[in-house]
Amino acid sequence: MNRRSDIVIEEVMPAVDNGNFPAKASEGSILTVTARIYRSGSSRIRARVASKHSSDRKWEYAPLEPLGNDLWAGKISIRKKGNYSFKIQSWDDDFGTWREGILKWAAAGEDVKQDQIAGVQMLKTYLRNTKGNLRTKLSQIIRSIETASSSSLKDILTDSDNIETVYLCQSHHGLVSSRTFKVLSERKEASFSAWYELFPRSQGQPGSGPGTFADVERRIPDIKEMGFDVIYLTPIHPIGKTNRRGKDGSPRAKKTDPGSPWAIGSELGGHKDIDPSLGTVEDFLHLVEEARKNGLEIALDIAIQCSPDHPYVKEHPEWFYRRPDGSIRYAENPPKKYYDIYPLKFEGPHKKALYEEMKSIFLTWAERGVRIFRVDNPHTKPFEFWEWLIGEVRKIYPDCIFLAEAFTRPSVMYRLSKIGFSSSYTYFTWRNYDFEIKDYFTEISSDPLRAHFRPMLFPNTPDILPPVLQTGGRAAFKMRAILAATLSPLWGIYSGFELCENEAIEGKEEYLNSEKYEIKKRDWFAPGNIRKFISVLNRIRKESSALMEIGNLEFHTTNNPNIIFYTRKSIKTGETLMIAVNINPFETHQATVEVPLEKVGICNDLPYRVTDLLTGATYTWQGEKNYVRLIPDERPAHILRIGD
Amino acid sequence: MNRRSDIVIEEVMPAVDNGNFPAKASEGSILTVTARIYRSGSSRIRARVASKHSSDRKWEYAPLEPLGNDLWAGKISIRKKGNYSFKIQSWDDDFGTWREGILKWAAAGEDVKQDQIAGVQMLKTYLRNTKGNLRTKLSQIIRSIETASSSSLKDILTDSDNIETVYLCQSHHGLVSSRTFKVLSERKEASFSAWYELFPRSQGQPGSGPGTFADVERRIPDIKEMGFDVIYLTPIHPIGKTNRRGKDGSPRAKKTDPGSPWAIGSELGGHKDIDPSLGTVEDFLHLVEEARKNGLEIALDIAIQCSPDHPYVKEHPEWFYRRPDGSIRYAENPPKKYYDIYPLKFEGPHKKALYEEMKSIFLTWAERGVRIFRVDNPHTKPFEFWEWLIGEVRKIYPDCIFLAEAFTRPSVMYRLSKIGFSSSYTYFTWRNYDFEIKDYFTEISSDPLRAHFRPMLFPNTPDILPPVLQTGGRAAFKMRAILAATLSPLWGIYSGFELCENEAIEGKEEYLNSEKYEIKKRDWFAPGNIRKFISVLNRIRKESSALMEIGNLEFHTTNNPNIIFYTRKSIKTGETLMIAVNINPFETHQATVEVPLEKVGICNDLPYRVTDLLTGATYTWQGEKNYVRLIPDERPAHILRIGD
């Protein structure tokens, strides 16, 4: 029977489904790893985390420190993009066990001669694998212990240089390793960015025709000024004519109706082609480049479905579902049928060819400079398909980011994240009351979800104009923007939000005169807009490491359900923001909020200054309970940093 | 590419460390299994649990039902002792998907001819593997669908006999299986029993010498009357003389001091031998048999450690730790040494022989009829040792029960449970305030712990006389007994508890004149005893299926922290008890307690009767909030069943 330690390593974090899927991290970030580590008996142990990037040859080690109750923690530096591995290792600390014992015996006045000899014997085994300078130093320590009196022993064994030297030489008796866990490191934008969604055809200037890529280019300074990082375009492909939908989705279109951009494909082309009214491939490349020069990035919406006029229908009829009479099956959700869309058939003998073609769509756009894809309804295609496709695309373009638009059940959303999507839409639009917001964001900001799930918060989308925005006016738009911008590092708006557009179809959460079915022209600087407010939010985000990190959100008590109070604390810098929001856009509210003093680093009852990053105003707070008064529109929130 | 479903099976429960260790169950119980099961898209799925005992050849199947949010649940009947396996299986429900769609299309007035044909084609594939009567019935159903009008379709497809027939014939397209999970089924006493701990030498009668096994026999009717199931004896082996401890553990014993039963071994023998002053092996066998005849069982305390006089010290000096001067190391916990005890060395080249000898100790007592072992300080021996030993003993005696007395850190206690201990001591004695009791018992009654951790609650032990018992008198003894007897199916007392003995060493939680170091004689029927109260508690436990099950505890709100209110609901019978306890033994308290109406099956605001099982008194309650007034000693708690 070999000498093998009784050490147990459990509950390693971050881990997704026990390590079967990668956790996610951001290039340039620090990843905290924790594990429950213990052994039988009372001997001491030590532990470390071994990590490496797939391109590295050697493991890199960082110590784990005990936090109490057998929980240990350490940090991994995520310096590059790509795939990291890590494992937790622990071994018997025979030196530490011996040192603790002999110091206690000595302090209790016991005779320690025998322990002294035993310690010297143990330390001599460390010499075996120790060379050079370290060996000399260790030998000196051993000699000094050998000859030490009970009182001088204490000096030798509490000297931090000596302790460090011994640990550098320590044999790893009975080293136990956890399984290897995976981490997917993506570039910063995958976990921290602000998005602006627009319909390119609606960017035309007053008096001229429908918008083109050139018009989108003209809007870049405007979007940049608001502080956004990503311009996300609704689909830009040719739109089908057969069964085209008209105004507000009516089943029969007028001749002049432009159709929904999601009814993709016509005789002019399919998913790799551009609607000629928007411009050419060259125009598109120019837009991508112009955005890049301005520090912005173009994201595309990829919707895997076909209009009845899509070239695939003729070229690959085998990729569609057929009814017994040979007709192609429309997209359906009984008792509804979508006559302008055919779903693709991700099963059967032609699956492989379809998979390859779908991959080629993503690669085509990646070749044209697009590195961010917002994927429409990924949950209606197989998980296996996405896992394969995302892996394939990342092999060639490791900087590709995939956002899942899966408005479906939580388990399905979380699965898409596990299998490779960088980020995901959330239920944010349907979380309005304090308990709803707290429950939901606590769930997705906590283990196990925070290890992989990156929430993207849109207060509106072309499909969703929630009741609070319909009725709460400008104040509601500001309030929901604050929540979206500070509850997650990923947020975005669908254009028109900055103008507080809020006309809905009665009794529904859909826009009236939906932009999905018609071309708009807007005055982007119309009175009452909240452009400036949005730009302040985005500036605050870029200046705060706390707002850039995921999984660092914690809610705290207030005595008024209309006011929520939460903190975000940076793992990297320790910066902590305290945020109080009046979630009722109709009324001024006041509350006592409870500051988590220890967490924010205020340890006594002296007054402290807090600065509101929204306004620059400073306040003097004291102790745990502090008063806030928040006025819709005017001062809907405090985003507080401690200090002036 | 084969047809393989996109179904995902996750979060299978009960599972211990993802299935690496067995969950626990009780012979004759019903085990609820749950899993998160889902797939991409909107097709329907079905699921089942397959289970089998290791002695069975075939898997047995039980359906899983959806609970919402992709969570499914089903039940396994645990009929035998031993090792069970189970796995979750799920497959595409093409019939259900089709049925749901066509019914909706028909209801919406759509033409369903094509869907009808598609359904018939699908059902014909089910005929392939269907024979006999079922085939005839399925053929009839297919024919009726083939020729049905839109309106008669509804009758055919909502007929429960038809639906049942189709599902009996359904092909399991794309069947997906989870990994196999393990369940250890033990006899009922492993998870439900009441224990009475005694020192055999203290059972002697007034006027005669120290107690013997015959004296223990004489106490059986008395212990039975109190309703206990297990008589647990402190160690019965010869006690060492070298460095024997005296009164209250003093390092120097007087000649007349009997020594601690845990300082095991002398020239009279070791762990397989009996202290001759207690009796012979024959006397012991007689005691075991006498207990059995009375429906009681004898449990032994096994403490793996040796007095310096233990035969092992001479016969196997290699099993002990040596200091550099060759002397044997005492048990130590710096800066304390226990000079009456040597620890054994569970490592090194002689480990295997030591393991085998330890196993032979358990087998020796099992051969003598003992099937319950309370193991002293298992956490100071390797996990690997216990996993091996318990497995080996159970191979020969599958009905052996092992209780771990590991007062150590939670992770270590839980590990001992995972690797095979049937049950474990807990922190119960140190949980006194409402929040302490709620937090701790919610933790151990919830996933993942409730899958394997069986908590044994002792309000006192020879080592622990907690402050509340020292100061709270009879009322405190009753209150702690109620908690112990109703917070877990496993509870016990150390004898003297029924007499409310409460003399402590000042400032410590230890008994004054500790029975560990001296022989006692007591009047077991002394005035002020709570024997009757204990017998009522144990009777209530035996009449309530809710109190027999593990992991069914839930706390509810009260408006007074001195009164806690909890329910226990039986999975097997649905029986629910509501228990309110005044945890302050010094004062009468009243509170409004909040009844979980839905859970207890009260669905409206009509009055309902509740009966207190402690007193037989009935009360009329109404709605959620009800009033209780609890008087220490006199009426410290309500244990309520709904109804008269």
Side-chain angles (χ1 to χ4, degrees), chain A residues 375-396:
Chain A
V375 176
D376 192 80
N377 281 329
H379 58 295
T380 58
K381 291 90 195 171
F383 298 125
E384 175 205 72
F385 165 69
W386 291 117
E387 190 165 12
W388 173 83
L389 181 135
I390 293 173
E392 289 290 299
V393 174
R394 280 209 185 110
K395 269 186 209 162
I396 307 172

PDB file of all heavy atoms in Angstrom, chain A residues 375-396:
ATOM      1  N   VAL A 375     -27.641  35.594 -32.038  1.00  0.00           N
ATOM      2  CA  VAL A 375     -28.303  34.474 -32.699  1.00  0.00           C
ATOM      3  C   VAL A 375     -29.776  34.434 -32.301  1.00  0.00           C
ATOM      4  O   VAL A 375     -30.121  34.378 -31.115  1.00  0.00           O
ATOM      5  CB  VAL A 375     -27.607  33.146 -32.352  1.00  0.00           C
ATOM      6  CG1 VAL A 375     -28.366  31.978 -32.979  1.00  0.00           C
ATOM      7  CG2 VAL A 375     -26.167  33.166 -32.834  1.00  0.00           C
ATOM      8  N   ASP A 376     -30.619  34.454 -33.316  1.00  0.00           N
ATOM      9  CA  ASP A 376     -32.062  34.506 -33.135  1.00  0.00           C
ATOM     10  C   ASP A 376     -32.611  33.109 -32.825  1.00  0.00           C
ATOM     11  O   ASP A 376     -32.311  32.156 -33.555  1.00  0.00           O
ATOM     12  CB  ASP A 376     -32.667  35.034 -34.451  1.00  0.00           C
ATOM     13  CG  ASP A 376     -34.112  35.420 -34.335  1.00  0.00           C
ATOM     14  OD1 ASP A 376     -34.381  36.528 -33.836  1.00  0.00           O
ATOM     15  OD2 ASP A 376     -34.975  34.616 -34.753  1.00  0.00           O
ATOM     16  N   ASN A 377     -33.375  32.996 -31.748  1.00  0.00           N
ATOM     17  CA  ASN A 377     -34.044  31.732 -31.415  1.00  0.00           C
ATOM     18  C   ASN A 377     -33.155  30.489 -31.484  1.00  0.00           C
ATOM     19  O   ASN A 377     -33.526  29.482 -32.114  1.00  0.00           O
ATOM     20  CB  ASN A 377     -35.237  31.506 -32.357  1.00  0.00           C
ATOM     21  CG  ASN A 377     -36.447  32.332 -31.941  1.00  0.00           C
ATOM     22  OD1 ASN A 377     -36.636  32.598 -30.759  1.00  0.00           O
ATOM     23  ND2 ASN A 377     -37.233  32.746 -32.909  1.00  0.00           N
ATOM     24  N   PRO A 378     -32.011  30.492 -30.839  1.00  0.00           N
ATOM     25  CA  PRO A 378     -31.151  29.307 -30.930  1.00  0.00           C
ATOM     26  C   PRO A 378     -31.782  28.064 -30.294  1.00  0.00           C
ATOM     27  O   PRO A 378     -31.425  26.949 -30.649  1.00  0.00           O
ATOM     28  CB  PRO A 378     -29.893  29.729 -30.161  1.00  0.00           C
ATOM     29  CG  PRO A 378     -30.345  30.811 -29.236  1.00  0.00           C
ATOM     30  CD  PRO A 378     -31.421  31.541 -29.980  1.00  0.00           C
ATOM     31  N   HIS A 379     -32.734  28.292 -29.390  1.00  0.00           N
ATOM     32  CA  HIS A 379     -33.319  27.144 -28.680  1.00  0.00           C
ATOM     33  C   HIS A 379     -34.212  26.292 -29.559  1.00  0.00           C
ATOM     34  O   HIS A 379     -34.640  25.220 -29.136  1.00  0.00           O
ATOM     35  CB  HIS A 379     -34.116  27.630 -27.472  1.00  0.00           C
ATOM     36  CG  HIS A 379     -35.213  28.590 -27.818  1.00  0.00           C
ATOM     37  ND1 HIS A 379     -34.974  29.840 -28.341  1.00  0.00           N
ATOM     38  CD2 HIS A 379     -36.558  28.489 -27.719  1.00  0.00           C
ATOM     39  CE1 HIS A 379     -36.119  30.465 -28.537  1.00  0.00           C
ATOM     40  NE2 HIS A 379     -37.088  29.662 -28.174  1.00  0.00           N
ATOM     41  N   THR A 380     -34.509  26.740 -30.773  1.00  0.00           N
ATOM     42  CA  THR A 380     -35.334  25.902 -31.652  1.00  0.00           C
ATOM     43  C   THR A 380     -34.471  25.014 -32.548  1.00  0.00           C
ATOM     44  O   THR A 380     -34.990  24.284 -33.380  1.00  0.00           O
ATOM     45  CB  THR A 380     -36.259  26.777 -32.527  1.00  0.00           C
ATOM     46  OG1 THR A 380     -35.456  27.673 -33.292  1.00  0.00           O
ATOM     47  CG2 THR A 380     -37.209  27.599 -31.663  1.00  0.00           C
ATOM     48  N   LYS A 381     -33.155  25.118 -32.377  1.00  0.00           N
ATOM     49  CA  LYS A 381     -32.242  24.202 -33.087  1.00  0.00           C
ATOM     50  C   LYS A 381     -31.546  23.333 -32.046  1.00  0.00           C
ATOM     51  O   LYS A 381     -31.442  23.708 -30.884  1.00  0.00           O
ATOM     52  CB  LYS A 381     -31.194  25.001 -33.888  1.00  0.00           C
ATOM     53  CG  LYS A 381     -31.776  25.766 -35.087  1.00  0.00           C
ATOM     54  CD  LYS A 381     -32.199  27.164 -34.687  1.00  0.00           C
ATOM     55  CE  LYS A 381     -33.084  27.818 -35.725  1.00  0.00           C
ATOM     56  NZ  LYS A 381     -33.665  29.100 -35.246  1.00  0.00           N
ATOM     57  N   PRO A 382     -30.990  22.189 -32.478  1.00  0.00           N
ATOM     58  CA  PRO A 382     -30.417  21.269 -31.479  1.00  0.00           C
ATOM     59  C   PRO A 382     -29.220  21.864 -30.733  1.00  0.00           C
ATOM     60  O   PRO A 382     -28.409  22.597 -31.302  1.00  0.00           O
ATOM     61  CB  PRO A 382     -29.973  20.061 -32.312  1.00  0.00           C
ATOM     62  CG  PRO A 382     -30.738  20.151 -33.586  1.00  0.00           C
ATOM     63  CD  PRO A 382     -30.969  21.615 -33.830  1.00  0.00           C
ATOM     64  N   PHE A 383     -29.095  21.517 -29.469  1.00  0.00           N
ATOM     65  CA  PHE A 383     -27.929  21.933 -28.673  1.00  0.00           C
ATOM     66  C   PHE A 383     -26.642  21.451 -29.339  1.00  0.00           C
ATOM     67  O   PHE A 383     -25.649  22.168 -29.413  1.00  0.00           O
ATOM     68  CB  PHE A 383     -28.005  21.331 -27.266  1.00  0.00           C
ATOM     69  CG  PHE A 383     -29.186  21.770 -26.459  1.00  0.00           C
ATOM     70  CD1 PHE A 383     -30.047  20.841 -25.896  1.00  0.00           C
ATOM     71  CD2 PHE A 383     -29.437  23.116 -26.243  1.00  0.00           C
ATOM     72  CE1 PHE A 383     -31.133  21.242 -25.137  1.00  0.00           C
ATOM     73  CE2 PHE A 383     -30.529  23.523 -25.484  1.00  0.00           C
ATOM     74  CZ  PHE A 383     -31.383  22.581 -24.931  1.00  0.00           C
ATOM     75  N   GLU A 384     -26.707  20.223 -29.789  1.00  0.00           N
ATOM     76  CA  GLU A 384     -25.542  19.595 -30.422  1.00  0.00           C
ATOM     77  C   GLU A 384     -25.037  20.432 -31.594  1.00  0.00           C
ATOM     78  O   GLU A 384     -23.834  20.569 -31.805  1.00  0.00           O
ATOM     79  CB  GLU A 384     -25.968  18.198 -30.899  1.00  0.00           C
ATOM     80  CG  GLU A 384     -24.938  17.442 -31.679  1.00  0.00           C
ATOM     81  CD  GLU A 384     -25.584  16.410 -32.606  1.00  0.00           C
ATOM     82  OE1 GLU A 384     -26.193  16.821 -33.629  1.00  0.00           O
ATOM     83  OE2 GLU A 384     -25.482  15.217 -32.301  1.00  0.00           O
ATOM     84  N   PHE A 385     -25.984  20.977 -32.368  1.00  0.00           N
ATOM     85  CA  PHE A 385     -25.618  21.818 -33.511  1.00  0.00           C
ATOM     86  C   PHE A 385     -24.823  23.041 -33.061  1.00  0.00           C
ATOM     87  O   PHE A 385     -23.756  23.348 -33.595  1.00  0.00           O
ATOM     88  CB  PHE A 385     -26.887  22.233 -34.259  1.00  0.00           C
ATOM     89  CG  PHE A 385     -26.680  23.366 -35.226  1.00  0.00           C
ATOM     90  CD1 PHE A 385     -25.929  23.181 -36.381  1.00  0.00           C
ATOM     91  CD2 PHE A 385     -27.238  24.618 -34.981  1.00  0.00           C
ATOM     92  CE1 PHE A 385     -25.732  24.228 -37.282  1.00  0.00           C
ATOM     93  CE2 PHE A 385     -27.045  25.663 -35.870  1.00  0.00           C
ATOM     94  CZ  PHE A 385     -26.294  25.476 -37.026  1.00  0.00           C
ATOM     95  N   TRP A 386     -25.311  23.723 -32.039  1.00  0.00           N
ATOM     96  CA  TRP A 386     -24.629  24.942 -31.591  1.00  0.00           C
ATOM     97  C   TRP A 386     -23.265  24.642 -30.991  1.00  0.00           C
ATOM     98  O   TRP A 386     -22.307  25.376 -31.194  1.00  0.00           O
ATOM     99  CB  TRP A 386     -25.497  25.707 -30.594  1.00  0.00           C
ATOM    100  CG  TRP A 386     -26.708  26.306 -31.224  1.00  0.00           C
ATOM    101  CD1 TRP A 386     -28.009  26.009 -30.947  1.00  0.00           C
ATOM    102  CD2 TRP A 386     -26.725  27.277 -32.271  1.00  0.00           C
ATOM    103  NE1 TRP A 386     -28.844  26.735 -31.743  1.00  0.00           N
ATOM    104  CE2 TRP A 386     -28.083  27.536 -32.572  1.00  0.00           C
ATOM    105  CE3 TRP A 386     -25.749  27.961 -32.994  1.00  0.00           C
ATOM    106  CZ2 TRP A 386     -28.480  28.438 -33.546  1.00  0.00           C
ATOM    107  CZ3 TRP A 386     -26.136  28.863 -33.965  1.00  0.00           C
ATOM    108  CH2 TRP A 386     -27.488  29.094 -34.231  1.00  0.00           C
ATOM    109  N   GLU A 387     -23.211  23.555 -30.238  1.00  0.00           N
ATOM    110  CA  GLU A 387     -21.940  23.208 -29.614  1.00  0.00           C
ATOM    111  C   GLU A 387     -20.889  22.976 -30.716  1.00  0.00           C
ATOM    112  O   GLU A 387     -19.758  23.460 -30.634  1.00  0.00           O
ATOM    113  CB  GLU A 387     -22.112  21.950 -28.747  1.00  0.00           C
ATOM    114  CG  GLU A 387     -20.912  21.667 -27.879  1.00  0.00           C
ATOM    115  CD  GLU A 387     -21.210  20.654 -26.772  1.00  0.00           C
ATOM    116  OE1 GLU A 387     -22.274  19.989 -26.803  1.00  0.00           O
ATOM    117  OE2 GLU A 387     -20.372  20.536 -25.876  1.00  0.00           O
ATOM    118  N   TRP A 388     -21.321  22.295 -31.752  1.00  0.00           N
ATOM    119  CA  TRP A 388     -20.420  22.020 -32.874  1.00  0.00           C
ATOM    120  C   TRP A 388     -20.083  23.314 -33.619  1.00  0.00           C
ATOM    121  O   TRP A 388     -18.920  23.628 -33.858  1.00  0.00           O
ATOM    122  CB  TRP A 388     -21.109  21.008 -33.808  1.00  0.00           C
ATOM    123  CG  TRP A 388     -20.379  20.763 -35.086  1.00  0.00           C
ATOM    124  CD1 TRP A 388     -19.335  19.902 -35.278  1.00  0.00           C
ATOM    125  CD2 TRP A 388     -20.620  21.397 -36.343  1.00  0.00           C
ATOM    126  NE1 TRP A 388     -18.921  19.948 -36.584  1.00  0.00           N
ATOM    127  CE2 TRP A 388     -19.683  20.867 -37.263  1.00  0.00           C
ATOM    128  CE3 TRP A 388     -21.523  22.354 -36.801  1.00  0.00           C
ATOM    129  CZ2 TRP A 388     -19.625  21.262 -38.608  1.00  0.00           C
ATOM    130  CZ3 TRP A 388     -21.475  22.754 -38.133  1.00  0.00           C
ATOM    131  CH2 TRP A 388     -20.537  22.215 -39.016  1.00  0.00           C
ATOM    132  N   LEU A 389     -21.116  24.075 -33.979  1.00  0.00           N
ATOM    133  CA  LEU A 389     -20.895  25.264 -34.804  1.00  0.00           C
ATOM    134  C   LEU A 389     -20.011  26.298 -34.106  1.00  0.00           C
ATOM    135  O   LEU A 389     -19.050  26.818 -34.692  1.00  0.00           O
ATOM    136  CB  LEU A 389     -22.239  25.898 -35.181  1.00  0.00           C
ATOM    137  CG  LEU A 389     -22.103  27.137 -36.077  1.00  0.00           C
ATOM    138  CD1 LEU A 389     -23.101  27.093 -37.220  1.00  0.00           C
ATOM    139  CD2 LEU A 389     -22.252  28.438 -35.308  1.00  0.00           C
ATOM    140  N   ILE A 390     -20.324  26.570 -32.845  1.00  0.00           N
ATOM    141  CA  ILE A 390     -19.544  27.596 -32.129  1.00  0.00           C
ATOM    142  C   ILE A 390     -18.095  27.145 -31.992  1.00  0.00           C
ATOM    143  O   ILE A 390     -17.162  27.929 -32.182  1.00  0.00           O
ATOM    144  CB  ILE A 390     -20.201  27.901 -30.762  1.00  0.00           C
ATOM    145  CG1 ILE A 390     -21.558  28.581 -30.991  1.00  0.00           C
ATOM    146  CG2 ILE A 390     -19.304  28.774 -29.892  1.00  0.00           C
ATOM    147  CD1 ILE A 390     -22.392  28.787 -29.738  1.00  0.00           C
ATOM    148  N   GLY A 391     -17.905  25.873 -31.694  1.00  0.00           N
ATOM    149  CA  GLY A 391     -16.543  25.338 -31.608  1.00  0.00           C
ATOM    150  C   GLY A 391     -15.794  25.488 -32.924  1.00  0.00           C
ATOM    151  O   GLY A 391     -14.634  25.913 -32.948  1.00  0.00           O
ATOM    152  N   GLU A 392     -16.471  25.151 -34.014  1.00  0.00           N
ATOM    153  CA  GLU A 392     -15.842  25.241 -35.341  1.00  0.00           C
ATOM    154  C   GLU A 392     -15.464  26.682 -35.684  1.00  0.00           C
ATOM    155  O   GLU A 392     -14.370  26.946 -36.170  1.00  0.00           O
ATOM    156  CB  GLU A 392     -16.816  24.719 -36.412  1.00  0.00           C
ATOM    157  CG  GLU A 392     -17.041  23.228 -36.383  1.00  0.00           C
ATOM    158  CD  GLU A 392     -15.823  22.448 -36.844  1.00  0.00           C
ATOM    159  OE1 GLU A 392     -15.409  22.621 -37.999  1.00  0.00           O
ATOM    160  OE2 GLU A 392     -15.277  21.673 -36.028  1.00  0.00           O
ATOM    161  N   VAL A 393     -16.385  27.604 -35.448  1.00  0.00           N
ATOM    162  CA  VAL A 393     -16.115  29.008 -35.797  1.00  0.00           C
ATOM    163  C   VAL A 393     -14.980  29.555 -34.922  1.00  0.00           C
ATOM    164  O   VAL A 393     -14.082  30.241 -35.415  1.00  0.00           O
ATOM    165  CB  VAL A 393     -17.395  29.864 -35.657  1.00  0.00           C
ATOM    166  CG1 VAL A 393     -17.082  31.340 -35.868  1.00  0.00           C
ATOM    167  CG2 VAL A 393     -18.462  29.389 -36.639  1.00  0.00           C
ATOM    168  N   ARG A 394     -14.993  29.197 -33.639  1.00  0.00           N
ATOM    169  CA  ARG A 394     -13.959  29.720 -32.737  1.00  0.00           C
ATOM    170  C   ARG A 394     -12.580  29.164 -33.073  1.00  0.00           C
ATOM    171  O   ARG A 394     -11.570  29.789 -32.770  1.00  0.00           O
ATOM    172  CB  ARG A 394     -14.299  29.390 -31.273  1.00  0.00           C
ATOM    173  CG  ARG A 394     -15.319  30.332 -30.676  1.00  0.00           C
ATOM    174  CD  ARG A 394     -15.138  30.482 -29.152  1.00  0.00           C
ATOM    175  NE  ARG A 394     -16.204  31.301 -28.592  1.00  0.00           N
ATOM    176  CZ  ARG A 394     -17.177  30.838 -27.816  1.00  0.00           C
ATOM    177  NH1 ARG A 394     -17.229  29.555 -27.502  1.00  0.00           N
ATOM    178  NH2 ARG A 394     -18.106  31.650 -27.362  1.00  0.00           N
ATOM    179  N   LYS A 395     -12.549  27.973 -33.681  1.00  0.00           N
ATOM    180  CA  LYS A 395     -11.249  27.429 -34.092  1.00  0.00           C
ATOM    181  C   LYS A 395     -10.550  28.376 -35.047  1.00  0.00           C
ATOM    182  O   LYS A 395      -9.334  28.527 -35.024  1.00  0.00           O
ATOM    183  CB  LYS A 395     -11.455  26.090 -34.823  1.00  0.00           C
ATOM    184  CG  LYS A 395     -11.423  24.882 -33.913  1.00  0.00           C
ATOM    185  CD  LYS A 395     -11.500  23.607 -34.775  1.00  0.00           C
ATOM    186  CE  LYS A 395     -12.166  22.492 -33.991  1.00  0.00           C
ATOM    187  NZ  LYS A 395     -12.651  21.411 -34.877  1.00  0.00           N
ATOM    188  N   ILE A 396     -11.337  28.979 -35.944  1.00  0.00           N
ATOM    189  CA  ILE A 396     -10.771  29.874 -36.955  1.00  0.00           C
ATOM    190  C   ILE A 396     -10.753  31.322 -36.460  1.00  0.00           C
ATOM    191  O   ILE A 396      -9.797  32.053 -36.680  1.00  0.00           O
ATOM    192  CB  ILE A 396     -11.588  29.765 -38.267  1.00  0.00           C
ATOM    193  CG1 ILE A 396     -11.685  28.287 -38.670  1.00  0.00           C
ATOM    194  CG2 ILE A 396     -10.939  30.598 -39.381  1.00  0.00           C
ATOM    195  CD1 ILE A 396     -12.629  28.040 -39.833  1.00  0.00           C
TER     196      ILE A 396
END
